[in-house]
Amino acid sequence: MPAWNRIKKTGICRAIHMWEDLESLTMPSIANPPYVMEEIARSCKNFAELKIMGPCDMLFASTLVSFLPNLKVLSVRCTLLSKSALVTILDGLKKLEVLNISHCVITEDPPPAPKKILAKLDDSILEKASRLHKFLTCMSDSCIMCQRCRNDEGLMRWYKYEELWKVDEVRSLAI
């Protein structure tokens, strides 16, 4: 999907409406995600996999839970992810089987509070994620992708890292 500022809301909705067999989508950061998710929910009955290439905040997580409760695979790797958004995803997407949060900059408090970056996942998150078939994580200080994501402040500049954009991705979304 093109960047949200490259296509009008009506254009995105019209396109999604015509993709009734859509099962999977890789999408950039979208400033106002509810209209996209609502159109996917309305038009794409077999939709099961989503890759987000932009920050995942509470609005985005809540929107996923509201409009795409049957989502099975979600990748938010290499992005800014608030802990509260992660909890919302884990608690709200009951049919989720695979979650990729590898190399994310996970913050304790959502903005505008001062950003406290988590060094590791706590037991409450790990417990919630234990029901998943696959939970992909990496928060290592020695990992080059984690370092790059932190340097980019969770807004990965993929054009800099073309050779690595598929590494550690869920197989079905690594295209």
Side-chain angles (χ1 to χ4, degrees):
M1 178 179 250
W4 68 271
N5 60 343
R6 303 266 185 210
I7 188 169
K8 292 183 177 171
K9 177 180 174 179
T10 54
I12 289 174
C13 289
R14 228 180 280 144
I16 292 170
H17 182 74
M18 294 188 310
W19 299 334
E20 62 186 39
D21 294 326
L22 185 69
E23 297 176 10
S24 176
L25 181 65
T26 297
M27 65 187 296
S29 174
I30 295 206
N32 187 13
Y35 74 89
V36 174
M37 300 306 156
E38 184 175 12
E39 190 60 46
I40 289 170
R42 186 176 25 248
S43 302
C44 310
K45 299 305 176 200
N46 298 322
F47 192 80
E49 300 184 358
L50 180 62
K51 177 178 180 176
I52 301 165
M53 296 180 74
C56 184
D57 59 10
M58 274 303 295
L59 174 61
F60 212 110
S62 299
T63 299
L64 289 176
V65 170
S66 295
F67 294 109
L68 300 176
N70 297 325
L71 202 61
K72 289 186 167 88
V73 177
L74 177 63
S75 177
V76 292
R77 80 186 249 284
C78 297
T79 192
L80 186 61
L81 175 65
S82 71
K83 181 180 176 185
S84 55
L86 178 56
V87 168
T88 298
I89 288 166
L90 289 169
D91 286 345
L93 294 177
K94 305 288 187 202
K95 296 186 179 180
L96 194 65
E97 297 172 5
V98 179
L99 177 60
N100 188 355
I101 62 166
S102 297
H103 322 297
C104 280
V105 174
I106 302 174
T107 58
E108 183 70 48
D109 302 308
K115 210 186 293 185
K116 179 184 173 198
I117 297 173
L118 299 181
K120 66 178 194 155
L121 296 173
D122 63 35
D123 289 340
S124 68
I125 297 289
L126 296 174
E127 166 118 10
K128 291 174 187 294
S130 67
R131 69 172 177 82
L132 301 172
H133 295 294
K134 198 174 212 180
F135 184 49
L136 300 153
T137 66
C138 179
M139 297 173 73
S140 172
D141 288 334
S142 62
C143 171
I144 187 91
M145 289 300 286
C146 287
Q147 291 169 15
R148 288 176 175 178
C149 196
R150 278 192 299 272
N151 290 343
D152 288 344
E153 297 177 338
L155 301 170
M156 197 70 149
R157 282 136 183 106
W158 289 104
Y159 60 87
K160 292 182 186 177
Y161 316 120
E162 287 183 36
E163 75 284 359
L164 295 173
W165 74 277
K166 293 183 191 179
V167 176
D168 295 333
E169 186 52 90
V170 175
R171 181 172 297 167
S172 61
L173 296 173
I175 53 172

